[in-house]
Amino acid sequence: MFLMFLTFVLMLAGVGGLIWLGCQRVATHLRGKPEATKAVVEHVLMPLFGRKEES
């Protein structure tokens, strides 16, 4: 039982580390490019985390 828990924690840490590395790469790529940052915010972040527009 403990081995299953340890495997779960290690896999979760591994996936979290890969996501963190990916976000760091994207942030580095967008640094100093305001139009690219605006495009990512408008087309990725706002649909994921923003409110839905009222019709």
Side-chain angles (χ1 to χ4, degrees), residues 24-34 37:
Q24 288 292 332
R25 287 184 59 110
V26 169
T28 302
H29 180 71
L30 292 177
R31 190 171 293 137
K33 299 175 184 170
T37 304

Side-chain angles (χ1 to χ4, degrees), residues 6 8-9 13 15 17-18 24 27 30 33 39 49 55:
L6 184 62
F8 174 73
V9 169
V15 170
L18 289 174
Q24 288 292 332
L30 292 177
K33 299 175 184 170
F49 301 114
S55 55

Side-chain angles (χ1 to χ4, degrees), residues 5-24:
F5 176 73
L6 184 62
T7 302
F8 174 73
V9 169
L10 289 176
M11 288 296 294
L12 195 61
V15 170
L18 289 174
I19 291 172
W20 180 77
L21 285 174
C23 289
Q24 288 292 332

